[in-house]
Amino acid sequence: MPPEPAIADPSTSDNPSVVLERFRDLEGKVRQTRPKEDLGLLRRAFDFAAERHRLQKRKSGEPFMVHPLEVAHTLADMRMDVVSLATGLLHDVVEDTTATVAEVEKEFGKEVAHCVDGVTKLSKLDFYSPEARQAESFRKMLLAMVTDIRVIVVKLADRLHNIRTLEHLPPEKRERISRETLEIYAPIALRLGMGKIRGELEDLAFAYLDPPAFADLSLQLESKRHANEEFLEEIKKEVAAKLREAEVPAQVEGRIKRRYSIYQKLKRQHCTVDEVYDLLALRIITDSVKNCYAALGVIHNHWRPVPGRIKDFIAMPRPNLYQSLHTSVISHSGQPFEVQIRTEEMHRLAEEGIAAHWKYKEGHKGPMMDEQRMAWLRQLVEWQRDIQDPSDFLSTLKIDLYPEEAYTFTPQGKVIILPRDASPIDFAYAIHTEVGHTCVGAKVNGRIVPLKSKLRNGDIVEILTQAGHTPSRDWLSVVKTSRARNKIKHWININQREKALEIGSKLLEKEARRAGLSLSKVPPETMERVAHDYGCGKMEDLMAALGYGKYSARQVVGKLAPAAGEVVELPKGPSRPHPVSGDEVLSVKGVDDLLVYRAGCCNPIKGEPIVGYVTRGKGVAVHSKTCPNVENLMYEAERRIEVEWAKSEEATYPVRLTLHTDDRPGLLNDVTSILSNDNTNITSVEASTDTARSAMIEMTLEVQNMKQLERIVGAMRRIPGVRDVERVHKL
Ligand code: MN
């Protein structure tokens, strides 16, 4: 039986001395159970919390401090360490007062601060958010966030006290907390093997969540309570006597199954209370595994076992490491009852679970131990249900049990579930398409990170956006969610088409002007018909096709012109470039911009004279006017298009230089100091010498424009020993 919760008497609890008294009790408990602990830390945590919560009251009218104190008491009853107790006392100061985690760390050290921070984060999780609609994923998420088991234990103790004092809250809140308790916290307690806390959480939540069912069940149990208790008392004596006879040392306890468990069984098996085999149960606690089996033999010798009800959880522990022998037998009066047999240690693990585990390992503290504990916890998190084969269970212990998802958070605490290795770009698109399109950077846990970095469980992500910024095709190789991928592709498709339309119409106009045709005089039906000839539904589609370089603008003009009733002379063969008029000029941004890209053969940089060439299906390639390819390409004059550098664009371009120099010491240093004086970034540099006492330096720089490059090359040429500086166009 769990000890009765000690709750301060509301009539006197306005008096802070009640709070103080309760703290003295806590100190007394710790002195008894963990005499070596630092009571000074406990005292300071109490003083700090009591001071911060000084003016706050609970809904019941009690001083708020009663709550953290009761949480700490529960933890002390579990014999948790003083860090857990201090966390219990401080668990609401960050959430509910002006105190910060930094302050807690300053006062109480990293460990306590880390745990308080953990509990605070958990309380910010919104169970009712759409992402968390599935209780299962919420539980996973919750556990995935936890890096210290004590955070969970404190959270469970917190929830236990909340639900014990639920009657003071308004009905909607009662229902919400009860549901959350049943769906989230009780299962977590179960998975962590904490049977005692789980039982109390379930029964209390059940009473609030389904009052009629609870009342009905209570009534049924109450009517038989007397008979049941009498039966248990008698059978207990009988079992104890039989065990004594067989010389099996044992402690025998009787219990009536908890109400929520009965309720679930009734629902699952569609039976009545009388048909529940384990409504009444005896628990035999003995000293060794051998005696567990001996006790089982004694029981089966005297009472007839119910077939199929014998379960050996000693040989095959449950996934939460629960161990026990279970059997159901029929009494001589025909009343079935269950018998659970286990050792002292198994019993402690069944009641306290992970908390018991924590205690056993104390004295071996250190990061290694913590990691092992976390590994163990995560094994439990696998939520294995009934495993039939023990080797199955063992094999699950070996596999990688980290969830496939990364649970990340907005600064406001909203949960964003992403696949493993997702990037801040995925995160941005998960928030909103516009946020995705305009994202330029991200902060993870307060630090700026590259957009292609990988997000991890528990990361708090803030997306930096810039109005007018647009997605980059490179993002497609970074993103992991289909949502982000689709949004980026969609954006590119639309914008590529717009760009193609723009290019197409410019090409068409240029060609028309050259042929002396005014496009505005071409009747729309003709436009339509010519478009159809090319298999395009509308003129717009044809223009886009021209922009993509699918068809020749000259030929299209050739088809439009006669129809417009005009005589047109089509220029033949290579022709000199057409004089530029303003509206024919495409601006080119620094980075490859979908349909307009810098040609890889010459990699022109800003400020350099350039020329555009409409490729077949790949948009407009921008070449340096001095690029040898240009002359070869430009015989198709109609494919040529005027381009110019965009005015406002602030970008850097990689430029490769080769320097031929004398082999003299300090020369490389002279070269690099020119670059640093000019604030120019070097991305790579390599120097080599040959036998003729000459050297070669190859380097890649990032420059903003032609002027800067000319300045740098000029300065390099003036360095004594530099014979030549050569720009290598191909990167
Ligand atoms: Mn709390």
Side-chain angles (χ1 to χ4, degrees):
M1 282 277 121
E4 271 305 301
I7 296 174
D9 176 0
S11 60
T12 59
S13 61
D14 272 337
N15 185 346
S17 73
V18 169
V19 167
L20 206 58
E21 217 170 277
R22 201 67 186 124
F23 177 69
R24 295 258 151 75
D25 292 347
L26 183 67
E27 278 183 319
K29 236 179 233 179
V30 177
R31 234 176 250 123
Q32 263 188 2
T33 55
R34 300 183 71 112
K36 285 186 211 131
E37 290 284 6
D38 177 7
L39 282 170
L41 172 62
L42 197 67
R43 176 83 220 193
R44 281 186 291 125
F46 170 72
D47 288 342
F48 185 93
E51 160 62 22
R52 295 304 167 116
H53 290 302
R54 182 171 33 104
L55 299 175
Q56 295 170 338
K57 288 236 169 3
R58 302 200 84 210
K59 281 277 184 301
S60 60
E62 298 168 294
F64 185 88
M65 199 52 208
V66 168
H67 168 63
L69 264 171
E70 289 312 319
V71 171
H73 265 280
T74 299
L75 295 165
D77 291 337
M78 294 162 125
R79 283 170 290 159
M80 294 297 288
D81 67 350
V82 77
V83 169
S84 311
L85 300 191
T87 304
L89 290 172
L90 294 165
H91 81 271
D92 274 328
V93 296
V94 174
E95 179 83 357
D96 294 340
T97 79
T98 53
T100 62
V101 174
E103 222 175 320
V104 173
E105 182 173 337
K106 205 175 133 249
E107 297 285 329
F108 306 103
K110 267 207 165 66
E111 246 184 319
V112 173
H114 181 73
C115 289
V116 170
D117 189 32
V119 179
T120 308
K121 271 187 186 156
L122 289 191
S123 56
K124 281 196 185 135
L125 288 183
D126 183 3
F127 175 44
Y128 287 89
S129 66
E131 296 85 356
R133 224 170 268 147
Q134 290 223 313
E136 177 97 346
S137 68
F138 188 85
R139 288 194 296 263
K140 265 191 189 174
M141 172 172 81
L142 203 142
L143 287 172
M145 281 178 64
V146 171
T147 50
D148 190 314
I149 299 161
R150 290 172 290 189
V151 170
I152 292 263
V153 179
V154 172
K155 186 68 203 169
L156 289 171
D158 175 35
R159 178 46 57 112
L160 183 63
H161 186 245
N162 283 337
I163 203 151
R164 276 175 181 169
T165 53
L166 208 55
E167 80 259 26
H168 303 290
L169 294 185
E172 325 82 66
K173 247 188 158 177
R174 270 187 232 168
E175 151 140 25
R176 189 179 65 81
I177 291 178
S178 302
R179 190 169 300 282
E180 217 180 65
T181 301
L182 265 192
E183 291 182 16
I184 308 298
Y185 291 102
I188 285 176
L190 168 66
R191 300 298 169 179
L192 300 185
M194 303 166 78
K196 203 159 119 185
I197 252 198
R198 172 218 174 188
E200 194 178 344
L201 286 175
E202 280 183 348
D203 276 359
L204 287 169
F206 172 40
Y208 284 110
L209 217 51
D210 194 346
F214 184 81
D216 181 47
L217 193 59
S218 301
L219 201 69
Q220 287 188 59
L221 289 175
E222 197 54 35
S223 69
K224 290 191 188 130
R225 191 170 63 98
H226 192 66
N228 283 339
E229 279 173 358
E230 214 161 73
F231 173 81
L232 275 176
E233 204 45 49
E234 230 154 82
I235 209 87
K236 201 170 106 180
K237 274 189 211 143
E238 221 176 322
V239 166
K242 297 289 177 205
L243 289 171
R244 246 193 327 273
E245 261 170 51
E247 289 178 7
V248 176
Q251 197 187 319
V252 185
E253 290 166 11
R255 69 121 180 85
I256 299 176
K257 196 177 175 68
R258 283 180 308 97
R259 289 169 210 203
Y260 186 65
S261 295
I262 301 173
Y263 171 72
Q264 278 183 309
K265 195 153 243 181
L266 297 185
K267 263 201 346 202
R268 217 170 35 234
Q269 302 184 344
H270 305 288
C271 57
T272 65
V273 174
D274 295 324
E275 290 163 329
V276 175
Y277 276 119
D278 55 355
L279 176 68
L280 304 176
L282 289 186
R283 189 172 289 147
I284 298 172
I285 296 164
T286 179
D287 61 345
S288 66
V289 171
K290 191 176 134 250
N291 276 332
C292 289
Y293 289 103
L296 185 69
V298 170
I299 298 296
H300 285 172
N301 243 335
H302 289 86
W303 291 278
R304 186 165 54 83
V306 179
R309 296 273 321 168
I310 304 164
K311 286 170 199 159
D312 185 348
F313 295 119
I314 291 179
M316 298 179 232
R318 281 188 172 149
N320 65 10
L321 305 188
Y322 172 86
Q323 286 189 300
S324 228
L325 297 173
H326 288 193
T327 184
S328 289
V329 295
I330 311 281
S331 79
H332 303 303
S333 63
Q335 165 77 53
F337 63 99
E338 189 188 63
V339 183
Q340 301 175 353
I341 306 165
R342 49 177 91 142
T343 64
E344 193 82 50
E345 192 185 331
M346 291 172 193
H347 181 60
R348 214 161 33 223
L349 259 163
E351 296 278 290
E352 299 171 10
I354 203 158
H357 187 78
W358 178 261
K359 284 195 296 272
Y360 296 151
K361 298 298 180 197
E362 78 188 10
H364 300 279
K365 278 189 186 161
M368 242 330 267
M369 273 320 296
D370 249 6
E371 228 157 76
Q372 281 171 14
R373 282 190 204 114
M374 286 320 291
W376 186 70
L377 172 69
R378 293 210 150 96
Q379 280 153 14
L380 298 179
V381 174
E382 257 306 275
W383 315 113
Q384 295 288 352
R385 295 203 189 279
D386 304 308
I387 293 166
Q388 300 301 322
D389 182 354
S391 63
D392 257 12
F393 175 62
L394 288 176
S395 69
T396 62
L397 287 177
K398 287 180 214 126
I399 56 170
D400 179 12
L401 296 161
Y402 288 86
E404 280 306 299
E405 298 96 12
Y407 297 91
T408 58
F409 302 86
T410 65
Q412 293 75 37
K414 186 172 146 57
V415 182
I416 307 282
I417 303 179
L418 296 171
R420 203 176 199 173
D421 291 346
S423 67
I425 301 171
D426 292 293
F427 187 96
Y429 277 102
I431 294 176
H432 193 274
T433 306
E434 240 351 88
V435 175
H437 286 346
T438 57
C439 81
V440 290
K443 275 187 187 175
V444 170
N445 304 323
R447 267 216 212 110
I448 301 245
V449 301
L451 278 178
K452 60 173 187 289
S453 54
K454 290 172 181 175
L455 296 179
R456 298 198 316 205
N457 259 327
D459 278 348
I460 297 172
V461 185
E462 191 183 339
I463 296 295
L464 311 171
T465 60
Q466 197 178 75
H469 191 84
T470 55
S472 152
R473 186 192 293 271
D474 299 344
W475 290 1
L476 288 173
S477 60
V478 174
V479 296
K480 288 280 181 295
T481 55
S482 50
R483 178 182 162 85
R485 179 163 295 116
N486 291 339
K487 295 286 181 189
I488 295 166
K489 277 190 178 161
H490 185 67
W491 189 92
I492 287 176
N493 282 341
I494 287 180
N495 283 273
Q496 216 166 21
R497 193 182 142 82
E498 269 171 23
K499 202 112 213 175
L501 257 173
E502 186 191 332
I503 295 169
S505 69
K506 275 177 184 163
L507 285 171
L508 192 66
E509 247 169 57
K510 184 175 83 168
E511 211 48 54
R513 194 163 351 170
R514 182 146 58 173
L517 167 74
S518 164
L519 283 178
S520 56
K521 286 190 190 148
V522 180
E525 316 86 68
T526 309
M527 294 265 193
E528 206 93 323
R529 206 200 60 236
V530 171
H532 273 288
D533 286 353
Y534 282 93
C536 297
K538 288 176 298 182
M539 194 57 197
E540 233 184 48
D541 297 339
L542 179 57
M543 301 254 232
L546 285 176
Y548 285 121
K550 275 189 192 158
Y551 308 114
S552 140
R554 191 140 47 122
Q555 279 169 15
V556 174
V557 167
K559 291 198 177 199
L560 287 172
E566 292 183 30
V567 182
V568 171
E569 282 275 316
L570 287 178
K572 288 187 188 78
S575 65
R576 55 182 187 81
H578 189 75
V580 184
S581 73
D583 61 348
E584 277 177 18
V585 174
L586 273 177
S587 345
V588 178
K589 290 179 185 164
V591 284
D592 296 351
D593 188 20
L594 308 171
L595 279 191
V596 180
Y597 65 95
R598 289 157 60 242
C601 50
C602 54
N603 286 294
I605 63 174
K606 187 167 176 178
E608 198 166 353
I610 45 175
V611 63
Y613 178 76
V614 182
T615 64
R616 291 194 190 274
K618 281 194 303 184
V620 177
V622 177
H623 294 265
S624 159
K625 270 195 175 152
T626 60
C627 177
N629 282 336
V630 169
E631 257 172 71
N632 301 334
L633 291 168
M634 291 303 168
Y635 74 91
E636 277 187 276
E638 80 211 41
R639 291 185 170 271
R640 189 171 178 153
I641 185 164
E642 294 299 327
V643 286
E644 70 175 20
W645 294 102
K647 284 190 182 57
S648 58
E649 198 66 19
E650 281 291 324
T652 60
Y653 308 84
V655 169
R656 256 179 81 184
L657 296 179
T658 302
L659 284 72
H660 300 276
T661 69
D662 295 342
D663 184 12
R664 79 156 166 87
L667 191 136
L668 185 62
N669 195 35
D670 292 350
V671 171
T672 51
S673 69
I674 283 177
L675 296 169
S676 63
N677 288 343
D678 210 306
N679 278 326
T680 305
N681 210 18
I682 311 174
T683 51
S684 79
V685 61
E686 209 174 305
S688 56
T689 54
D690 61 24
T691 45
R693 303 235 344 246
S694 67
M696 194 163 86
I697 302 169
E698 289 181 288
M699 58 197 335
T700 308
L701 320 172
E702 283 177 340
V703 301
Q704 284 184 348
N705 52 45
M706 201 58 192
K707 259 191 196 150
Q708 186 187 4
L709 182 62
E710 280 165 359
R711 199 165 60 227
I712 289 166
V713 170
M716 282 177 172
R717 285 185 201 275
R718 284 193 295 276
I719 297 173
V722 172
R723 300 172 192 172
D724 194 13
V725 181
E726 201 185 343
R727 175 168 166 207
V728 184
H729 283 277
K730 211 163 166 69
L731 291 175

